[in-house]
Amino acid sequence: MNWKKKIFNYRGPGTMNVLPRLNFLAIALTILIFANTGIVSGQNILEFPVDNISEMIHNGTVDVKHSQLDIGSINDVFDHNDASLARSANINPLVITLTFPFPVRFGGSRILQTYGDGWWTLEAADTEYDLTYQTGSYQQFFTMSSLLNDVADEITFPDETKKIIRLTVSRTTGDDYVHLNEWQLVDATAEVEITSVCVRPSELYLLPDTHFEIEMYGMDATGFAYPIGRDLVWGVDNTSLVSLDWLPPVLRVSAYANPGNTTIHAGWKDLSFDVPVHIVEDFTPKKASTRVVNVSLVIIDPPIAAEGGLRFHERFGWEAPTSLANKLVDSLNAASDGVVDYQIISTYDEPILYAALEGTTITVDSMYRLFLEPGWETFHALEQTGGFAFDYNGLLAAHDFCASSNIHQIDEVWVYSMPFTGMYESRLTGDGAFWYNSPPLTGNDCIDQLPVMGFNYERGLAEAMHSFGHRVESAMAHTFGRWNYDAEKKNDWEKFTSYDKVTPGEAHVGNIHFPPNGRNDYDYSWYLPVESYEENWSRYPFLFDQHHLVGSKQWDHSHLGFMSFWFSRLPNSTCKNRDGILNNWWTYIVDYNEGKTLEAQTSDCNCDYVSTITSTDPIESFQFRIYPNPATDKLMIETKLQHEIVRVGIYNVSGIRMRVVEIPVGNQITEVDIRDLPAGIYSVRSEDQSSRFSSASFTVIR
């Protein structure tokens, strides 16, 4: 490891010192020894405040169980905002249990309940068994302490250290809908032993004259990641390519005008991590693998006896629902660039409507006669009173959709019906179902999450994509844990959906109702352009300060055009962003629970971000071949290198880099000892900007 040049040592906010080279090399050597020997010194202890429980729930560090909510989300309870709230779904008391992977020391708790008086109880333990049966480590801090409407209550006590904390809140006046605005632990801290560190992203791609911020995380023995914002040491090999600016807790890396490659070194206590940096003319993120999505299509378009068997769509001149469904499949698959592959695997032609008007199930004949009314007067009157209801669970039960979903035969149910059947545009049922532009659906046997889409064949493809877009918005707001245009530091979802009216000068792609230049809802044809950062999303997660004028010309001034514009910019690449969220957002859109599982299975510290690098270097600047092939104990790399020393990486079939070899200038044969590599298929490719010109594969045989 060669640590040199412009080395910063950060010990706390507001301090940055340049260390003498010799002293820093001694520190680097210590880090190298510990990192390579795997010795756990016992000194890599990270102490941090437990003051952002919402973020810890979001990234999976903390497990939370709670009573079902019908307004707000569990994040609203921990957002340090007394004005927001979560409401229990007619469940009294409301119970929330937090399970930490480490002991938490805290000295009290604060709570705010509104819309009624009540009481609260706080209990804790170190195991679920002790909490359930009130044995061993169980402790009840207080019970049924009174609460007044809209008056915050705080109870402190001598510091206690526990892993599981349970809050019970009861409402004693009014109904059984418990409104909980805020719950906080007072002076809560934790300590964990960090066994390894990683910088996110673990490999950095920059365009000339751009910058990007990276951040260090520490992992404990169980794999949980924690941000490290102090006591960090940063260094870079080549200060003529990039500059480093420490802006706790992130490091801003700024590229100069010239393409090239260098390495940033990060150190914390006895641990270290190297970040390869590539400054290139352009690059293309590597696409995620294709996810096949199996859809059961339900067509509610029965024959009308009074019309000699004509279907509703035929009688009223609407497009055939099967045609619309197929167009939607093609549009979603194309917009994702093949990352999702929607397939309709079964179609059900429903003879009944599953619809009720003012509590009475409606017949096909009655529905037909209501459509004959001038101006659809009855329908529009019922719209004002909420008189429509769709029997979701009846439909699911009729075709055993929950059973099919639970064994992963189907992933979604799409329903195409006439208007006014009472369906939401999208609804989610199953384990952990959340707000999906509608309340979660309960009362069935679904365990695996199952989206149920409600489409209307009176409308066209644009409206179907619009409906699907609101599902996307719900899924991604839930994934990022927030959707607030006023947030001081916007998350990537808030950036993506920003439009000029609410974030002047900071528009990106916009949301389903508002294009980047939108002035009002559905303003898809407004031609006057605004500055937008939408082009950056082609390189996500690397978002740069690049913008251009965007107006309705970019989407042909049409509703459908903007839907295609918007969907095609949803990120679909490999690896994770700086916050640990998958760069392929379609994963969460298709199956949120599956996305969270894949998060845990995706490496923070070793991931292949980019598949294509565009360079101005001539093709003859770097060529090589490998032999023998298959290889045994030695790999011979024959090169013709005309300009500068480059590095080549040896990668296994999972894309993990196993070795890096430096190749000198000129016509060379470089010998690489591979006796320590396991048998398998490997690839060799350049780690530098000419990598798009040179790659090869070989097989190691023992």
Side-chain angles (χ1 to χ4, degrees):
M1 178 170 19
N2 181 21
W3 296 58
K4 61 185 179 180
K5 310 279 187 172
K6 200 171 182 180
I7 298 163
F8 299 136
N9 177 28
Y10 177 72
R11 298 298 180 193
T15 60
M16 180 180 289
N17 300 313
V18 179
L19 288 183
R21 177 176 168 79
L22 291 179
N23 290 347
F24 183 73
L25 288 177
I27 294 173
L29 181 60
T30 303
I31 293 173
L32 178 63
I33 291 172
F34 278 101
N36 288 348
T37 60
I39 297 174
V40 178
S41 67
Q43 297 179 353
N44 298 323
I45 302 298
L46 178 66
E47 181 177 351
F48 55 92
V50 181
D51 58 358
N52 195 344
I53 293 176
S54 178
E55 176 64 23
M56 298 175 81
I57 292 172
H58 169 68
N59 63 30
T61 305
V62 176
D63 179 65
V64 59
K65 293 182 174 61
H66 56 85
S67 306
Q68 183 182 342
L69 306 173
D70 67 350
I71 290 180
S73 72
I74 194 63
N75 294 315
D76 293 305
V77 175
F78 300 104
D79 62 359
H80 298 274
N81 179 6
D82 286 352
S84 64
L85 63 83
R87 188 180 79 169
S88 70
N90 200 20
I91 298 170
N92 193 10
L94 166 64
V95 180
I96 302 175
T97 304
L98 298 175
T99 301
F100 296 87
F102 42 74
V104 175
R105 185 176 65 250
F106 62 105
S109 187
R110 177 186 181 273
I111 191 174
L112 175 63
Q113 176 184 271
T114 53
Y115 295 93
D117 298 337
W119 53 258
W120 61 312
T121 294
L122 195 66
E123 308 161 274
D126 288 329
T127 66
E128 288 188 18
Y129 182 92
D130 285 353
L131 185 65
T132 301
Y133 296 101
Q134 302 184 5
T135 60
S137 61
Y138 174 81
Q139 185 171 355
Q140 185 179 79
F141 299 107
F142 53 85
T143 180
M144 299 182 70
S145 179
S146 63
L147 289 170
L148 295 178
N149 172 48
D150 204 20
V151 177
D153 190 26
E154 182 174 320
I155 298 178
T156 58
F157 38 77
D159 283 354
E160 296 289 343
T161 302
K162 297 295 179 185
K163 286 188 173 182
I164 307 176
I165 305 167
R166 182 167 67 196
L167 170 72
T168 304
V169 186
S170 178
R171 182 175 178 179
T172 56
T173 62
D175 53 35
D176 285 328
Y177 291 86
V178 180
H179 296 71
L180 183 58
N181 297 63
E182 196 69 20
W183 176 31
Q184 299 169 5
L185 300 178
V186 176
D187 297 328
T189 59
E191 292 182 353
V192 295
E193 183 169 5
I194 300 300
T195 58
S196 64
V197 293
C198 179
V199 173
R200 294 176 178 170
S202 58
E203 191 164 10
L204 181 56
Y205 291 84
L206 294 167
L207 305 182
D209 296 315
T210 62
H211 66 264
F212 195 78
E213 294 172 352
I214 62 178
E215 190 169 0
M216 178 177 276
Y217 285 76
M219 271 67 72
D220 64 14
T222 62
F224 285 112
Y226 310 88
I228 300 175
R230 57 179 299 157
D231 299 324
L232 299 177
V233 180
W234 299 97
V236 61
D237 284 348
N238 190 340
T239 56
S240 68
L241 290 175
V242 299
S243 64
L244 307 182
D245 296 294
W246 177 240
L247 306 169
V250 299
L251 179 76
R252 174 173 289 180
V253 183
S254 301
Y256 295 127
N258 296 324
N261 300 277
T262 187
T263 301
I264 292 174
H265 309 284
W268 179 77
K269 297 190 176 182
D270 293 338
L271 303 170
S272 66
F273 189 83
D274 288 350
V275 183
V277 181
H278 312 283
I279 300 98
V280 295
E281 297 297 333
D282 208 347
F283 60 89
T284 301
K286 184 177 180 180
K287 281 196 306 183
S289 57
T290 300
R291 168 64 154 88
V292 175
V293 187
N294 291 330
V295 176
S296 282
L297 175 63
V298 177
I299 304 294
I300 300 180
D301 187 27
I304 305 167
E307 293 287 354
L310 284 177
R311 305 277 180 157
F312 275 76
H313 86 271
E314 294 171 322
R315 169 61 181 81
F316 294 103
W318 302 326
E319 187 170 351
T322 51
S323 172
L324 285 166
N326 289 327
K327 288 180 180 179
L328 181 59
V329 163
D330 292 341
S331 296
L332 293 175
N333 293 347
S336 76
D337 200 14
V339 166
V340 294
D341 181 11
Y342 273 91
Q343 298 181 4
I344 297 173
I345 63 168
S346 56
T347 301
Y348 299 87
D349 186 5
E350 283 293 341
I352 59 177
L353 304 182
Y354 292 97
L357 302 184
E358 295 188 323
T360 301
T361 301
I362 190 167
T363 65
V364 173
D365 183 64
S366 296
M367 180 67 88
Y368 166 63
R369 293 185 183 282
L370 287 173
F371 273 116
L372 295 179
E373 286 187 353
W376 296 347
E377 294 177 1
T378 300
F379 284 137
H380 291 307
L382 289 170
E383 276 186 318
Q384 304 303 314
T385 60
F388 303 105
F390 186 83
D391 185 7
Y392 281 92
N393 287 330
L395 177 68
L396 295 178
H399 302 293
D400 291 326
F401 283 144
C402 283
S404 297
S405 172
N406 293 340
I407 61 174
H408 307 296
Q409 285 184 343
I410 65 171
D411 297 295
E412 303 189 11
V413 174
W414 289 4
V415 181
Y416 252 107
S417 75
M418 69 286 289
F420 305 113
T421 57
M423 291 199 78
Y424 292 100
E425 291 175 292
S426 56
R427 201 164 191 190
L428 187 63
T429 191
D431 186 28
F434 50 90
W435 177 264
Y436 222 55
N437 201 26
S438 66
L441 176 65
T442 59
N444 54 58
D445 296 326
C446 286
I447 299 171
D448 190 43
Q449 283 188 355
L450 179 65
V452 182
M453 299 301 303
F455 300 119
N456 170 9
Y457 50 75
E458 181 221 351
R459 301 297 181 92
L461 176 60
E463 288 79 12
M465 293 189 73
H466 189 117
S467 296
F468 200 98
H470 286 312
R471 161 188 169 171
V472 173
E473 291 175 333
S474 295
M476 296 316 303
H478 187 74
T479 297
F480 279 88
R482 193 185 68 201
W483 188 4
N484 179 11
Y485 288 123
D486 294 325
E488 183 177 351
K489 182 181 179 182
K490 292 180 176 60
N491 61 42
D492 287 349
W493 170 245
E494 290 161 342
K495 292 177 183 176
F496 182 89
T497 57
S498 290
Y499 57 101
D500 192 72
K501 183 177 180 179
V502 295
T503 57
E506 297 292 331
H508 283 249
V509 184
N511 63 38
I512 289 298
H513 279 196
F514 280 87
N517 67 333
R519 304 159 301 168
N520 306 292
D521 277 313
Y522 316 111
D523 202 6
Y524 306 123
S525 60
W526 179 237
Y527 68 92
L528 193 64
V530 297
E531 291 289 344
S532 168
Y533 293 86
E534 61 86 16
E535 66 177 316
N536 288 284
W537 292 90
S538 65
R539 305 183 193 93
Y540 187 80
F542 303 102
L543 299 176
F544 304 125
D545 187 22
Q546 293 191 320
H547 51 85
H548 65 141
L549 288 173
V550 172
S552 61
K553 180 180 179 180
Q554 272 78 9
W555 48 87
D556 197 29
H557 314 287
S558 71
H559 186 183
L560 181 59
F562 179 69
M563 293 299 102
S564 299
F565 173 91
W566 192 86
F567 274 89
S568 66
R569 280 148 182 79
L570 290 169
N572 64 355
S573 58
T574 57
C575 307
K576 294 191 283 191
N577 73 357
R578 194 171 58 225
D579 298 320
I581 294 173
L582 294 171
N583 294 331
N584 178 20
W585 291 4
W586 288 93
T587 301
Y588 304 105
I589 296 163
V590 169
D591 188 327
Y592 173 80
N593 284 348
E594 182 180 296
K596 299 304 289 185
T597 299
L598 288 174
E599 274 184 16
Q601 297 173 352
T602 302
S603 172
D604 278 314
C605 305
N606 204 329
C607 194
D608 194 3
Y609 285 86
V610 167
S611 58
T612 303
I613 300 177
T614 302
S615 171
T616 57
D617 276 7
I619 190 168
E620 67 272 17
S621 65
F622 178 46
Q623 299 173 341
F624 71 76
R625 68 184 184 91
I626 58 173
Y627 64 96
N629 189 0
T632 53
D633 296 332
K634 295 179 182 178
L635 171 68
M636 314 298 290
I637 305 177
E638 183 177 354
T639 59
K640 179 188 291 185
L641 187 60
Q642 297 184 4
H643 293 292
E644 60 182 7
I645 295 173
V646 298
R647 301 180 308 153
V648 297
I650 300 175
Y651 290 76
N652 67 12
V653 291
S654 298
I656 298 174
R657 187 173 57 200
M658 309 296 289
R659 184 81 53 78
V660 175
V661 180
E662 191 170 85
I663 305 294
V665 172
N667 298 340
Q668 302 286 340
I669 295 178
T670 304
E671 182 177 302
V672 183
D673 187 348
I674 58 171
R675 287 175 294 181
D676 60 333
L677 295 182
I681 298 174
Y682 294 81
S683 65
V684 178
R685 61 180 182 265
S686 169
E687 295 295 293
D688 299 286
Q689 64 198 51
S690 55
S691 62
R692 74 185 178 105
F693 304 126
S694 306
S695 64
S697 297
F698 66 99
T699 303
V700 176
I701 296 179
R702 293 286 181 261

